[in-house]
Amino acid sequence: MKLSNLFKIAWKAILRNKLRAFLTMLGIIIGVASVIAMTAIGEGSKRSISSQLSSMGSNMINIRPTSNVNVSGGARIGASGLQSLKTTDIEAIIKGAPDVSYVSPAVQTNGQSINGSNNWPTQLQGVNADYFKIRDWNLSEGAFFTAKDVVASNKVCLIGQTILSNLFPGGDDPIGKVIRFNKIPMTIIGVLETKGANTFGQDQDDIIIAPFNTVQRRFLGIDYVQTIYASSTSESTSSQASDEISQILRKQHHLSADGSNDDFSVRTQAELIATMSSTSQLLTVLLSAIAGISLLVGGIGIMNIMYVSVTERTKEIGLRMSIGARGKDILFQFLIEAIMISVSGGVIGVILGISVTKMVTAFLGWPTFITESSIILSFFVCAITGVFFGYYPALKASKLDPIEALRYE
């Protein structure tokens, strides 16, 4: 029998029981739609995380003190109280790390910023001029402070967009205006471009940035560095730059070369992106696996309905065999019917999955990204499901005795 005729017979059989066929497809539809939606949400989340971390500076390296050093009595010092990083470490990194392009110390404190009758609780960060190149941060107006401002501990600052909107709600030009932070006056010389929220939901525009020495001496009264930010010469040299920094700091702090007693940690953006993406990918796989259970349920539904169909059409099968239909013709007839039910459900499922994904983005604002591979995989799984769960009922139909089939009531 021609393959085209088998398709026609299968299609007519499906149309004879439209509601039953649709209910059979429902498990496949839900499974495919769920897999596509979950994959799109997971991929969108991964791309969003990568984009946001890259916006912080794709080559950025973070050096922080750690609490791995024991003091008397075996107690560990909290990270906030560590003083292991010094300005001399920065000088050593600049001189001894060829794969490092920029280095900036950083200290910070929280307090109240005030302009006239307007005030806003925020964070004051002290850095040097290289920090803005490391973070790839530009100005919307004004100018950056210079190395001379850092050395002279000048009371100048740059403000983020959140500070601008809260301290200057009337839209006044802030350049040249004097604001106070914890009662100490500072002159605004620039306004930073919008950065938005970071991966962890923190508002990056809610910040005042001033020269490092100004914050360290005038606001905090300390002689150590809380954090060191560095930038590798390129993304490909981040790992080498990280190793160079580690070796230099071990030498500076007289630590063992194997890193067993390091009093600092070095983290690159590439490591952070890989960690966050790996976590997101794991959740995506888990959610997709759970959604895939619907495909299994749908496959069982196809097998069940094909058994019912074989039973209902036993006389039809006997009649076809009696006029010359071979066993393989009957096998292909029911197998094609099962595949058509599965693939039709897959098509509807793909359309539904894409629609749900668009609705999630539109109404919930979640980042999503539909990949071609998820759609292709869905069709492939649907076809395999139809073959796998439709084969045994079809095989049973092909092995019926035509005489016994014709006698079946």
Side-chain angles (χ1 to χ4, degrees):
M1 189 179 290
K2 291 182 180 180
L3 190 62
S4 59
N5 289 335
L6 291 174
F7 272 101
K8 288 177 183 177
I9 293 169
W11 183 245
K12 286 179 181 178
I14 292 172
L15 291 179
R16 278 200 302 266
N17 298 282
K18 297 184 185 70
L19 181 60
R20 188 172 73 181
F22 176 74
L23 292 175
T24 305
M25 293 177 191
L26 204 54
I28 299 294
I29 293 170
I30 294 171
V32 170
S34 300
V35 169
I36 289 177
M38 291 299 103
T39 304
I41 291 170
E43 185 65 25
S45 174
K46 187 169 70 174
R47 288 171 179 258
S48 176
I49 289 169
S50 179
S51 174
Q52 288 181 26
L53 289 176
S54 295
S55 72
M56 295 170 66
S58 57
N59 306 339
M60 189 170 74
I61 301 171
N62 252 313
I63 305 105
R64 297 179 183 274
T66 62
S67 54
N68 292 332
V69 183
N70 286 340
V71 293
S72 59
R76 292 184 182 273
I77 305 172
S80 61
L82 292 173
Q83 304 179 19
S84 55
L85 297 179
K86 305 287 184 179
T87 52
T88 51
D89 295 331
I90 296 167
E91 295 167 4
I93 292 171
I94 293 171
K95 291 178 182 178
D99 288 310
V100 174
S101 53
Y102 303 107
V103 185
S104 172
V107 290
Q108 63 184 42
T109 183
N110 295 319
Q112 200 78 7
S113 57
I114 302 170
N115 175 43
S117 60
N118 300 308
N119 65 89
W120 183 254
T122 188
Q123 179 187 99
L124 174 66
Q125 188 165 38
V127 296
N128 68 16
D130 283 351
Y131 176 77
F132 305 103
K133 296 174 183 175
I134 295 170
R135 288 289 311 275
D136 193 24
W137 214 335
N138 298 315
L139 290 172
S140 63
E141 57 179 309
F144 290 115
F145 54 74
T146 64
K148 291 182 180 180
D149 292 316
V150 176
V151 173
S153 300
N154 290 335
K155 290 186 285 185
V156 295
C157 68
L158 307 170
I159 61 173
Q161 294 291 330
T162 301
I163 306 298
L164 175 64
S165 61
N166 283 282
L167 294 190
F168 299 91
D172 297 341
D173 184 4
I175 304 301
K177 299 288 177 62
V178 176
I179 62 172
R180 286 176 291 150
F181 184 88
N182 290 351
K183 299 182 180 180
I184 298 177
M186 289 190 296
T187 302
I188 299 172
I189 61 171
V191 178
L192 297 164
E193 279 189 351
T194 302
K195 275 277 188 180
N198 63 17
T199 311
F200 309 103
Q202 182 181 5
D203 184 3
Q204 298 181 87
D205 300 315
D206 188 4
I207 194 169
I208 299 174
I209 300 180
F212 170 73
N213 286 352
T214 305
V215 179
Q216 185 192 41
R217 296 171 185 173
R218 296 180 184 269
F219 288 88
L220 294 173
I222 58 176
D223 63 352
Y224 57 90
V225 177
Q226 293 174 342
T227 307
I228 297 174
Y229 293 104
S231 178
S232 59
T233 52
S234 67
E235 286 188 45
S236 60
T237 60
S238 288
S239 181
Q240 297 96 301
S242 176
D243 291 339
E244 290 167 3
I245 290 170
S246 296
Q247 292 171 8
I248 290 169
L249 291 181
R250 285 172 193 148
K251 186 176 179 181
Q252 284 286 114
H253 298 180
H254 307 292
L255 304 172
S256 58
D258 61 4
S260 59
N261 60 341
D262 284 356
D263 58 0
F264 61 89
S265 65
V266 181
R267 294 287 181 271
T268 65
Q269 284 296 90
E271 291 173 338
L272 189 55
I273 289 171
T275 301
M276 296 294 287
S277 296
S278 175
T279 303
S280 177
Q281 185 67 30
L282 181 62
L283 288 173
T284 302
V285 171
L286 179 62
L287 291 172
S288 297
I290 295 172
I293 294 173
S294 296
L295 286 174
L296 177 63
V297 174
I300 294 171
I302 289 174
M303 179 180 280
N304 181 54
I305 211 67
M306 292 310 297
Y307 269 122
V308 172
S309 183
V310 169
T311 303
E312 285 181 347
R313 295 157 63 188
T314 301
K315 277 194 173 183
E316 178 190 329
I317 294 168
L319 182 61
R320 288 184 185 281
M321 284 183 165
S322 66
I323 59 175
R326 296 167 296 177
K328 69 175 184 179
D329 294 327
I330 302 299
L331 172 69
F332 279 117
Q333 175 188 331
F334 283 91
L335 193 57
I336 288 171
E337 189 174 327
I339 293 172
M340 288 179 71
I341 290 173
S342 182
V343 172
S344 298
V347 171
I348 298 171
V350 168
I351 296 170
L352 180 61
I354 294 173
S355 300
V356 168
T357 301
K358 299 293 184 185
M359 289 171 65
V360 165
T361 303
F363 293 107
L364 299 180
W366 294 359
T368 58
F369 185 83
I370 300 172
T371 58
E372 292 181 2
S373 60
S374 66
I375 295 175
I376 294 170
L377 181 62
S378 296
F379 276 115
F380 178 75
V381 170
C382 284
I384 294 298
T385 300
V387 172
F388 182 80
F389 288 99
Y391 179 77
Y392 190 74
L395 183 64
K396 180 185 176 183
S398 69
K399 290 185 176 181
L400 285 175
D401 186 306
I403 296 174
E404 292 296 325
L406 286 170
R407 288 177 179 172
Y408 182 80
E409 293 295 337

